[in-house]
Amino acid sequence: MEQPLFLTLFLIFSIGIQFVSSHQESGNWHCETDEESRISAEFRPGVVTLDGHADDWDNIEGFEFSLLPALDPDHDHEYKGGKMTVKALHDGKDVYFLLKVDGEYVYKKGNDNNCPSVALMFQVGESATYHSMGGCKQSPDACNKKTCRGHEVDIMHFSIGNAIPGRLYGGNPVDNRDGNGGDRFGHLVDLYAWSPHCMNLDGVSSTGNDTSAQNDWRGAWWHSSFSTHSGYSEEDSPYSTMGQKGTFYFEFSRTLRTMDRLQQDVQFTIGQPSKFSAAFWYPEDGNPWHGSGHYTIGCDWVPLDVPPGSSAGIKVVSRSSWDAANGFAFLLSVVSFGGQTITHFLPSKAYYR
């Protein structure tokens, strides 16, 4: 079995992660980037509830991407189910993402490879390339934080085989207590890599573990074919009828800044762009997906803007409106005080509400 270009294929068990053999590319890498691809995480506080439902994202603009094979980004072989829509926003503290992908409902409890799966990848080191997950040339037995310095990428991967729709997964007290980026409950894990051959959970390395690390991501998933919004439990699996047409939704959040001191997390800065990508695995034609058989939203980094708060949500009242308000207030003053004129000093400039 191959290891993917974008994300090392791994099988997640309750006690950890088992890695598999590395990927093998065939032929020369060819990439035609889309210069117009760009995501903006606008400042929209108090809009989104992290529950997998997409209703609260309706007024948030997104970008629609073709999903191309990771190892061979050829449009002739793009994902047949449709495109992926990516939306993002921030509230000054956390950043939120929504991935929307059309696809017939497939789910097999306890088997990640027979369920859809998604990942986000971000550039951390300045020399980290999208291609080859950071692009460090060191061999698996020689890659480390010194030999691959500057090639770090941050990865969030969500395998839903054990995740109940609508429930939160990711960072939890049990795994964070152990000082790593794992998630033994829903397999929404926080990782870092220098290349496809050199990847670990946050806080884990070949030279020893660091107990200060944790999983900083939270997330949930949903499918439009579900008949209830009141919530599911594990006993309701498989939650819907297999093969129903519809849309998968994957919703995530993370603080803009983390306590990372190991160069394993991307640090978002308001007003400065970041670089990211997204990937999608799907068990097509009834066959479980394999590591390198996934799709991505492009063959290079996509810019992600995190703009500061704007006046979009601030109501500006014109001077003419203030003139009318002044006149009405003056009239009330005259009535209230038996005709005694009271001078009112009201702002002549726009006000914020």
Side-chain angles (χ1 to χ4, degrees), residues 205-219:
S205 71
S206 58
T207 58
N209 299 345
D210 187 291
T211 57
S212 68
Q214 65 178 20
N215 188 340
D216 294 289
W217 288 93
R218 305 289 188 276

Side-chain angles (χ1 to χ4, degrees), residues 140-158:
D141 59 348
C143 59
N144 55 56
K145 63 182 180 181
K146 291 184 178 180
T147 60
C148 290
R149 181 60 188 269
H151 291 274
E152 300 87 356
V153 295
D154 184 14
I155 299 169
M156 184 286 308
H157 185 246
F158 191 18

Side-chain angles (χ1 to χ4, degrees), residues 92-106:
K93 177 181 178 292
D94 296 322
V95 61
Y96 296 80
F97 295 90
L98 176 74
L99 308 183
K100 174 184 174 183
V101 190
D102 289 339
E104 293 183 357
Y105 185 68
V106 287

Side-chain angles (χ1 to χ4, degrees), residues 192-209:
Y192 71 99
W194 299 294
S195 75
H197 312 284
C198 303
M199 179 179 134
N200 293 290
L201 286 172
D202 280 12
V204 178
S205 71
S206 58
T207 58
N209 299 345

Side-chain angles (χ1 to χ4, degrees), residues 310-327:
S310 68
S311 59
I314 299 174
K315 183 178 180 179
V316 178
V317 180
S318 67
R319 185 179 182 87
S320 60
S321 298
W322 275 111
D323 292 340
N326 281 340

